[in-house]
Structures are given as C-alpha cells and as structure tokens.
Amino acid sequence: MTRQEFAALVRHLSVYFNHKEPQPEQLELWYAMVARHPGGADLDLAAAELKAQEQQFPKNLPRALLAHLPPLREQPPRPVPCEHCRGTGILHGRRLGSSGGYAAEADYAFRCGHCRQSPCLGLPLVTREELPGLGFAPCD
C-alpha cells in the first residue's frame, strides 16, 4: 500500500471514531508496520471489518489492521539460469525406438535434475545425462 492510501485510511478512521489524528511521526511508524501489505480493495475490506467490529479507535491500529488484512503471499522464487533446461525447469525427451531412432509421437517431459526449479512436482526428476540410460534422447 502507499503512504497516501494509508494516511487517507487513518484520517477516515479518525473521523469515523471521533478520534484526533495521530502525529506524522506516529503515522510513519504505523505505516512501516503495514507497508508490505496490498492496498486497494484489501485495505478497504479491512477498514470495513475494523469499523464493524470495533467500538472505538483501536489502541494499536497496525495490529488491528493486520488482523483484518489477508496474509502476505510468499513471492515465487526467481528462475535460476540453467543451461540444461533454459531456466524453465523442464527437460524434454523423445523415446528412442528399438532401432535406435526416435519412436513415433513419444515426447516426454521431466523435471530438470540440475536446477530443480520446476513447479511440476508430479514429473520425474532427471538430469540430461540420465536421459539416454532411461531410453530417451534430449529434444533440445
């Protein structure tokens, strides 16, 4: 959320609960505690719930807001550059036929065993070097 968004919310709650507005220093301390949370509709919903459940201006406004804001989502890890799977986490293999050539329509996907960053946990974990031993040739 932005500082302006938070300041507007505190101003609104101060008027709603007939409470004097906090000093700018206090506002900054409170904002530091809730700044990572999203604003917008989540903040509006938290304010509405706060007004519905509290009888007076909360003694600890950041804690009261955090109780009504949705939990922070963990940021997905950034992809690691991998020369084997090009950072996708997926290796593509084509099944080898009995004659040593490619079998018709037999492409398979595996999780990259080098970087281990594939979100597809149901796929087998294989390194590029293990593919021929399993009867597959790398497609890339």
Side-chain angles (χ1 to χ4, degrees), residues 22-137:
Q23 297 294 319
E25 299 83 23
Q26 184 68 47
L27 197 63
E28 279 300 312
L29 289 173
W30 287 349
Y31 176 70
M33 296 177 74
V34 297
R36 296 181 331 161
H37 285 271
D42 288 339
L43 188 60
D44 293 341
L45 182 61
E49 289 176 1
L50 189 89
K51 291 189 303 189
Q53 292 180 2
E54 298 289 333
Q55 300 297 320
Q56 61 186 7
F57 193 87
K59 289 184 180 184
N60 189 338
L61 180 65
R63 180 178 287 168
L65 272 177
L66 290 173
H68 296 286
L69 285 169
L72 287 175
R73 295 182 191 98
E74 186 177 316
Q75 295 294 327
R78 289 203 164 135
V80 177
C82 178
E83 61 188 45
H84 302 284
C85 66
R86 297 184 185 138
T88 63
I90 304 289
L91 290 176
H92 298 278
R94 181 166 282 170
R95 182 164 299 279
L96 297 172
S98 57
S99 62
Y102 294 128
E105 298 181 18
D107 288 348
Y108 290 86
F110 302 92
R111 285 188 305 153
C112 181
H114 299 280
C115 65
R116 299 173 182 255
Q117 63 183 348
S118 172
C120 306
L121 299 178
L123 297 177
L125 187 66
V126 177
T127 63
R128 199 170 178 86
E129 293 79 25
E130 294 172 335
L131 283 174
L134 297 171
F136 293 92

